[in-house]
Amino acid sequence: MMLLLLTSALSWALGTVYSQCRGAHIPSHDLAGMQLVGGGGVLLLLSVFVGELTGFSPQRVTMISIAGLLYLAVFGSLRPHRAVHGSPDKVPHKVRGCFELLI
């Protein structure tokens, strides 16, 4: 487990350094999205490797779970987007990119 935590911290740091060096022409929200999609893909592959999908059944997913996911997808993205892009002249570019990724 410790090796997994150290590897994840190292990959996060390498991705951050790479985005600072090579991602100058890519908007900060695109970089944040690329990091989130990449992390989600790695976690999905890891869950398949560990065998978590063998016990998954779509029939066992409740409507409350679906409603919670939709709530987080809609309202969890609108509020930070409005906070960051509502006044872009007041928030520096690098801070905006970190803020989008963290929230």
Side-chain angles (χ1 to χ4, degrees), residues 8-89:
S8 65
L10 178 65
S11 65
W12 180 281
L14 289 175
T16 302
V17 170
Y18 178 76
S19 68
Q20 292 293 321
C21 296
R22 303 282 295 172
H25 64 283
I26 301 174
S28 62
H29 61 280
D30 288 348
L31 287 173
M34 288 169 31
Q35 288 180 351
L36 291 172
V37 168
V42 169
L43 288 176
L44 182 62
L45 288 175
L46 184 63
S47 69
V48 170
F49 178 71
V50 172
E52 289 184 355
L53 292 181
T54 57
F56 177 72
S57 174
Q59 291 83 14
R60 293 175 46 197
V61 178
T62 64
M63 287 303 292
I64 294 174
S65 299
I66 294 171
L69 180 65
L70 290 175
Y71 174 82
L72 287 175
V74 173
F75 295 107
S77 61
L78 288 179
R79 183 174 177 204
H81 185 274
R82 178 71 180 135
V84 172
H85 296 291
S87 57
D89 54 334

